[in-house]
Structures are given as C-alpha cells and as structure tokens.
Amino acid sequence: MLPMRMRLIVGLGNPGAQYENTRHNVGFMVADKLAGEFGISVTKNKFEVRYGSGTIGDQAVMLAKPMAFMNRSGWPVQKLAAYFKINSKDVIVIHDDIDLAFGRFKIKEKGGHGGHKGLKSIIQAVGQDAFVRLRIGVGRSETGNSVSDHVLGPFDNKESKLLDAIINRARDAVVTILTEGTKVGMNQYNTKDLLLEVNH
C-alpha cells in the first residue's frame, strides 16, 4: 500500500509580536485557524519554519509558518518540502494580495509572484511556480501610504469587523482545495460576490 500523499500548507507572514495583526500576516492567521480547528500543533521547528502535521478530512497535511522574514521565506519552505519529500505541486501557499480588493479571494494553480516578496522568494528557491496559492485581498491604501507601510500596517476598524469572516472563509477554501480539488475551490471562491459589504 502506498503511503498517504502529504500536502504542505504554508501560511506566509512575518515573525514577531509587532507584525501579528498586520495585513501581511493573513497567511499566518489562516494557518493558525486551521491548526486550532483541526487539532494540529504547529510547534516543531526546522529550517526556520514552525510546523506541525495532522489530517484535514482524509488528507494528511503539514501546516507551516516560515519564521524567516517574508522576503526570505522561500529557502526555509524549499528545505522543509525537500526534507519531507513533498512535491511542489502538493504545496498550498496562503498570502496577502494588494491587487485584490479587501476580502476577495483568488485561487491559482501556478503563476508569477506579482511583486509579492514572499512568493518571489518561494519561486526562486523551489525553481518553479507549480504550487497552489490562495490569494487573500487586502486592497491598496486609500490614504496614500506606500505599499510596505500598507501591508505592514494593522487592519483599520472597518476591515477588523470583517476579518474573522474572511479568515473563516479562507479556512473553508483551503479545506475545499484539499477535499474536493483546486478546480472546485476556484469555482466556489474566485468570485466578486464575496464580502462586498466591506465597500459599503
């Protein structure tokens, strides 16, 4: 009997208390939500990654949070995947995206980095872009802040009221990808109709 295929779920963010509630850390937030709800202890450390393994549905998974800063997260992810013999096609990366309106999702099977330093680092380290990514929209600054100030800044009051719903929906999207496939996830979550109340 073949061993169960392991899926690696990587939530991107920056380590440290000062970054906990920033837009750049939504990947960490979704990883933490998955860990809590599926009883996965993300407490092991290897290659500058905090990780833990368990199951979601019938799928064996490893949840990972790179502890290198965002622009250096690629090599830790590559080393962890290589150590556990996880193919890049079995990796799901969860990250923020300024090119999507706040609360919008986009699931992609592969593609470029779109200027996202964490994705760029992973693509460079892995040597290919053939991994699934769940892009979570954080929008662009409405007050003229630079991109770095915006993504490293905290959610505003309006965003904070919707954050739990967004994280919960992102959790559901990851579960759908794992249990029903990426294409089904795309059909369900790549829509403009989600969380439109943020704009009102």
Side-chain angles (χ1 to χ4, degrees):
M1 185 175 176
L2 292 173
M4 185 182 291
R5 168 192 181 202
M6 175 77 76
R7 300 294 298 271
L8 176 61
I9 304 167
V10 180
L12 293 184
N14 283 310
Q18 69 269 40
Y19 298 110
E20 278 183 4
N21 296 307
T22 61
R23 297 178 181 93
H24 228 12
N25 273 38
V26 291
F28 275 10
M29 295 175 192
V30 178
D32 289 341
K33 173 63 73 170
L34 288 163
E37 295 206 359
F38 292 95
I40 300 171
S41 178
V42 184
T43 54
K44 296 178 180 177
N45 291 281
K46 190 183 288 290
F47 308 125
E48 284 190 282
V49 182
R50 190 165 295 156
Y51 71 98
S53 56
T55 57
I56 294 177
D58 294 327
Q59 175 63 58
V61 299
M62 182 174 291
L63 290 176
K65 296 165 63 178
M67 291 291 109
F69 282 93
M70 182 74 79
N71 62 352
R72 297 192 298 108
S73 53
W75 289 110
V77 170
Q78 187 275 332
K79 289 176 183 175
L80 190 75
Y83 183 84
F84 288 103
K85 297 180 173 58
I86 300 172
N87 190 289
S88 61
K89 291 181 180 179
D90 291 327
V91 176
I92 301 169
V93 177
I94 308 165
H95 65 92
D96 63 301
D97 195 311
I98 62 169
D99 291 324
L100 289 176
F102 184 80
R104 285 277 316 281
F105 293 166
K106 189 164 187 180
I107 298 168
K108 293 185 69 177
E109 287 189 305
K110 56 183 179 179
H113 55 75
H116 192 285
K117 292 181 179 178
L119 275 188
K120 182 179 180 180
S121 180
I122 292 173
I123 292 169
Q124 288 176 338
V126 173
Q128 57 179 299
D129 64 358
F131 53 87
V132 177
R133 62 284 306 268
L134 170 59
R135 300 162 55 191
I136 301 175
V138 297
R140 290 184 177 269
S141 173
E142 296 179 358
T143 58
N145 286 342
S146 68
V147 170
S148 60
D149 285 345
H150 181 62
V151 296
L152 294 176
F155 295 97
D156 63 30
N157 289 336
K158 183 170 67 172
E159 293 169 342
S160 295
K161 290 176 182 177
L162 291 168
L163 188 58
D164 282 348
I166 290 167
I167 299 303
N168 287 339
R169 197 164 188 94
R171 168 209 60 202
D172 293 345
V174 173
V175 173
T176 299
I177 293 168
L178 292 171
T179 59
E180 300 183 60
T182 307
K183 293 288 194 297
V184 174
M186 289 176 178
N187 290 335
Q188 288 188 18
Y189 294 93
N190 291 5
T191 169
K192 293 182 179 179
D193 297 331
L194 301 181
L195 298 165
L196 291 182
E197 62 267 31
V198 72
N199 295 317
H200 300 295

